[in-house]
């Protein structure tokens, strides 16, 4: 399995930007899917963006055109660049990795978009 550590969350005004980073350690060569989910208060955890088997990232409809996902597979890193942030993007963001049919999660990092 892998251990995941997020960084880069914080408070930002609407229209601002943040970059989240996730560092994987452990069995990173067996990661098949890696990316980000988020959970807002009183809501279900939802996909934000992930790299899957095909290599191209998949994005939630609500973040397309505003968020980009990049990675360094050799180092086990994935990055989420978030631009034009909106109050509805406020949530705890979790790094996710699938390894050998098991889901792995980071501790989460808070992103708050507010004026």
């Amino acid at each position: 399995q892998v251990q995941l550590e997020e960084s880069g969350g914080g408070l930002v005004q609407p229209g601002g930007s943040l970059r989240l980073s996730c560092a994987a350690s452990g069995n990173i060569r067996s990661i098949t899917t890696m990316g980000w989910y988020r959970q807002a208060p009183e809501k279900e955890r939802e996909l934000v963006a992930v790299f899957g088997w095909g290599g191209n990232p998949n994005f939630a409809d609500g973040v397309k055109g505003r968020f980009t996902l990049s990675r360094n597979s050799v180092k086990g890193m994935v990055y989420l660049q978030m631009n034009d942030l909106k109050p509805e993007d406020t949530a705890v963001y979790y790094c996710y990795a699938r390894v050998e049919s098991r889901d792995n999660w980071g501790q989460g990092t808070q992103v708050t978009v507010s004026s």
Side-chain angles (χ1 to χ4, degrees), residues 23-85:
S25 58
N27 189 16
I28 63 173
R29 295 179 67 180
S30 295
I31 294 175
T32 55
T33 302
M34 191 170 180
W36 296 88
Y37 283 69
R38 68 186 180 187
Q39 187 166 17
E42 302 181 359
K43 291 190 176 182
E44 300 276 327
R45 191 172 296 189
E46 63 178 6
L47 180 145
V48 178
V50 292
F51 281 107
W53 277 109
N56 293 320
N58 297 312
F59 293 92
D61 287 343
V63 306
K64 287 179 180 177
R66 300 188 296 122
F67 291 11
T68 58
L69 190 66
S70 59
R71 63 183 170 180
N72 184 324
S73 298
V74 173
K75 294 185 177 181
M77 299 289 297
V78 67
Y79 309 94
L80 183 67
Q81 177 66 42
M82 304 185 293
N83 298 326
D84 189 24
L85 282 160

Side-chain angles (χ1 to χ4, degrees), residues 93-114:
Y93 284 68
Y94 295 93
C95 185
Y96 166 82
R98 190 159 180 86
V99 178
E100 297 173 348
S101 300
R102 293 183 65 179
D103 296 329
N104 297 264
W105 298 95
Q107 293 292 315
T109 184
Q110 177 69 45
V111 171
T112 301
V113 184
S114 175

